Amino acid sequence: MKSAIVRHILVKDKETCEQLKRKIQAGADFAKIAKQFSTCNSAKRGGELGEVKKGQLVPVIDKLVFTAAERVLHGPVKSQFGFHLVEIKFRMD
């Protein structure tokens, strides 16, 4: 079964998500930003979701994790929980 190592940041609005993406792309530490701003329980782990299997995440994020480029910061991606920044560290078969 396919799996991936993923980290993400979840916030309530698109504008905040875009601001955080710009900060990270300018060199800010992903884990520090996640701990400070993410509303997900993974925030205390710096946004680390660890290993996720196909089908474990909400559909829009699951599709991104298993189709988008690795080692790239993706987002904002909207789900029923808010807006996500997602980084796929790597995938495994």
Side-chain angles (χ1 to χ4, degrees), residues 1-84:
M1 174 175 273
K2 287 187 175 193
S3 63
I5 303 297
V6 180
R7 62 184 181 170
H8 86 134
I9 295 170
L10 173 63
V11 294
K12 292 291 179 207
D13 63 278
K14 186 175 183 178
E15 185 178 320
T16 301
C17 199
E18 288 170 343
Q19 288 173 354
L20 297 179
K21 183 175 186 177
R22 284 193 294 273
K23 284 185 179 185
I24 293 165
Q25 288 174 326
D29 183 82
F30 187 104
K32 286 181 182 172
I33 296 288
K35 286 178 181 176
Q36 191 174 354
F37 294 99
S38 185
T39 60
C40 180
N41 287 336
S42 68
K44 57 184 163 258
R45 297 185 304 278
E48 296 288 343
L49 295 176
E51 184 177 353
V52 295
K53 295 190 184 337
K54 192 158 176 49
Q56 276 188 308
L57 303 171
V58 295
V60 67
I61 303 298
D62 194 71
K63 182 178 182 195
L64 175 91
V65 165
F66 292 99
T67 60
E70 298 174 47
R71 293 176 292 286
V72 175
L73 186 60
H74 299 281
V77 179
K78 187 175 185 349
S79 78
Q80 69 262 41
F81 300 107
F83 291 86
H84 305 255

